[in-house]
Every structure is written in structure tokens, then in C-alpha cells.
Amino acid sequence: MAKVIAIANQKGGVGKTTTAVNLGTGLAEEGKKVLLIDADPQGSLTISLGNQHPDKLENTLVDIIARVVNEEDIEERYAVIKFKDGVDLIPSNIELSAVEISLVNTMSRELVLKSYIDSVRDEYDYIIIDCMPSLGIMTVNALACADTVLIPVQAAYLPVKGLQQLIKTIYTVKRRLNPNLEIEGILLTMVDNRTNYAKDIVLEVNDVYGKTIPVFPIEIPLSVRAAEISSMAKSIYDYDPKGKAAFAYMSLTKEVLAHGC
Ligand code: ATP
Ligand code: MG
């Protein structure tokens, strides 16, 4: 039975997709079977994993959602793209934004993704959902089927207000839709330890949230190499295996494994 981890933060550009790629491939390096789900109409995860033209893909998460809503059968590996051994992808493209609107009139609209994920849980060890930068219905769908949420926070501005809103949404989903939902942890990303400002933010996040929400002890450093992989169809372990970002993401992977299922 897979553990389902949603990677969410409604703030854009905080490292959600980069974390999905490198946590997902990291878990596969550790021998786990991983499904990555792109739940963002920008299709960044889909592009990162080598599909340069998401709009030309025949089947995506959009088609899966349509089939769930219409109560149609979904055959095995429908819409799944194999990225590499142990890592599958369900891609997305811009059409997903229309689905968001169409779900408004669907019964149990928050549980559409859960219905699909429950049907594939047995085939994987980890299912990682890369959320879009909003707290709309797709993100609520991801939270409603996840076991845990991993929250990347960019150490470049004081994130306190936005984080409060996200945490409130997580607890609302937990109360109303998914009582088992837990927070995997806050992950500080793009940390530039040369600046006092970054260090202050790391301290502040630990100070304000550390008592109630786990904050990963490992931070992801600011790294040009990490930024470059978004167009390379490679994980950080293949692209720059000896670099500090690869080390940090492997440490994160081991931490997530240690948290168990
Ligand atoms: P969105 O909200 O748009 O989906 P996101 O939260 O998924 O964004 P990413 O796409 O992972 O964020 O990262 C935003 C940008 O920062 C990308 O250009 C990415 O390559 C770059 N980036 C990610 N991680 C790092 C890092 N550790 N150091 C430097 N740049 C990074
Ligand atoms: Mg993204």
C-alpha cells in the first residue's frame, strides 16, 4: 500500500516541483516503486521529466479525472508514462485548469482524485502529488487523498502569513474530508547560507512553527545545479551527484523513509 505525499504550498516558485522530482527519484534509488502525479496545469513536473510538449500528450490526469467523474473504467497504466525504472508519471497540461472549473458541479468533487488513487495504491510504495500554487479544488483533492503533506518554503522572504493560510486549509481538510492527514514536514528550500537573511528565516520558521509542526532538519541549499535540472529530464543525482543539492535531497529522502508509511 503506497504512502501518498502531497507537496503543497500556494506560494509559487518555492521548490514544490523540484522536490517532487528529487524526492521521487531518490525514493526509487532506495528501491521503492514511485508514482509521481503532476497536479498542476503548468505541467512543470511533466516537462521536468522529459515531456517537452505536455499539450501534445494523448492522455493525462485530465482524462483520468473525466473517467472518474463519468464512472468509466480506467485500464491499467492508463495515462502513465514510465520515466525510469521505479518511477512512473501521470502528466498534466493546461487542460487541467478547465477541469478545476468543471469539478465545481460534480458530486463529491473533493474526492475525485482519491477515487483514482485508491485504485492504484497497491501498485506503488510512494505516490507523490506535485500540487499547483493555489488552494483551489485540485489541491484540496490532493490533500483529501494524501497521508501527509510536505510543505516546501523558500528561505527568501518571511513566509509566515501564507503558511498560516495553508496550515488552516490542511486542518480544514483533515476535519472534514481526511482525518488521517498529517504534515510530513516543512522543508526549507533555496537556502543561501551566505546571507544572514536566509539564516534568520530558517530560525524564524523553526521558532514559529517548530513546536507544532515538524520542520525537516535538512535544508535544501540554493543551487544553480538544482535549478538547471528543470529542463534536463534528469534528477539531481544523475546531473550533479556530488553536489550539495544532491546530498540534501538524498538526506531528505532518507528522512522521509525513516518517517515510515
Ligand atoms: P510553482 O509554484 O510554479 O509550481 P514550484 O513551487 O514547483 O513552482 P519549482 O518549479 O520547483 O517551484 O522551483 C522554482 C524555480 O526555482 C525553478 O526555476 C527551479 O529550477 C528553481 N529552483 C528550485 N530549487 C532550487 C534550488 N535549490 N536552488 C536554486 N534554484 C532552485
Ligand atoms: Mg511546480
Side-chain angles (χ1 to χ4, degrees):
M1 267 287 256
K3 176 173 181 176
V4 181
I5 303 175
I7 301 188
N9 189 336
Q10 78 277 21
K11 172 97 174 74
V14 296
K16 294 181 288 294
T17 301
T18 307
T19 299
V21 170
N22 295 304
L23 176 60
T25 50
L27 288 164
E29 301 256 325
E30 296 292 306
K32 302 297 179 190
K33 268 198 90 183
V34 178
L35 174 64
L36 290 166
I37 299 183
D38 191 346
D40 183 352
Q42 295 179 97
S44 313
L45 177 63
T46 302
I47 295 167
S48 284
L49 298 185
N51 308 282
Q52 289 304 322
H53 303 289
D55 296 343
K56 294 192 179 144
L57 290 168
E58 198 177 334
N59 296 313
T60 66
L61 182 63
V62 177
D63 303 286
I64 289 177
I65 288 171
R67 287 196 175 195
V68 173
V69 170
N70 297 327
E71 298 185 0
E72 290 167 22
D73 285 343
I74 300 175
E75 54 268 28
E76 221 176 293
R77 297 192 66 79
Y78 177 74
V80 171
I81 297 173
K82 179 175 172 179
F83 172 60
K84 57 187 264 187
D85 282 348
V87 185
D88 283 340
L89 164 73
I90 293 180
S92 273
N93 60 28
I94 192 69
E95 288 175 34
L96 191 68
S97 48
V99 168
E100 276 240 295
I101 297 161
S102 72
L103 278 180
V104 169
N105 295 318
T106 302
M107 210 192 287
S108 305
R109 60 188 179 180
E110 294 93 353
L111 300 176
V112 174
L113 189 57
K114 178 176 166 53
S115 164
Y116 169 70
I117 285 197
D118 284 348
S119 73
V120 294
R121 257 191 198 244
D122 282 345
E123 287 157 45
Y124 297 96
D125 299 307
Y126 286 88
I127 298 176
I128 295 175
I129 308 170
D130 181 26
C131 294
M132 68 176 86
S134 92
L135 294 173
I137 202 163
M138 245 352 270
T139 300
V140 171
N141 261 269
L143 296 176
C145 64
D147 297 301
T148 64
V149 198
L150 192 157
I151 308 171
V153 169
Q154 185 183 359
Y157 69 108
L158 278 179
V160 178
K161 234 185 171 166
L163 262 181
Q164 274 164 356
Q165 197 190 349
L166 173 60
I167 289 161
K168 199 170 151 220
T169 304
I170 292 169
Y171 283 112
T172 307
V173 171
K174 185 175 165 79
R175 259 194 329 275
R176 297 202 191 154
L177 297 166
N178 181 6
N180 297 325
L181 183 62
E182 301 290 343
I183 297 178
E184 188 79 39
I186 293 175
L187 175 68
L188 286 150
T189 62
M190 303 183 218
V191 179
D192 184 354
N193 266 323
R194 294 166 307 182
T195 68
N196 285 331
Y197 192 51
K199 286 182 202 157
D200 287 349
I201 291 166
V202 172
L203 285 175
E204 172 103 10
V205 167
N206 275 286
D207 203 40
V208 175
Y209 294 101
K211 287 179 206 78
T212 46
I213 292 173
V215 179
F216 283 102
I218 185 80
E219 295 149 15
I220 308 300
L222 187 73
S223 148
V224 176
R225 294 299 203 175
E228 282 168 352
I229 58 160
S230 53
S231 56
M232 298 274 175
K234 277 185 177 163
S235 72
I236 193 73
Y237 318 108
D238 289 330
Y239 185 56
D240 185 29
K242 295 199 162 60
K244 55 191 177 153
F247 178 80
Y249 270 117
M250 196 32 91
S251 305
L252 171 74
T253 301
K254 297 214 161 112
E255 187 84 18
V256 168
L257 280 169
H259 289 182
C261 290

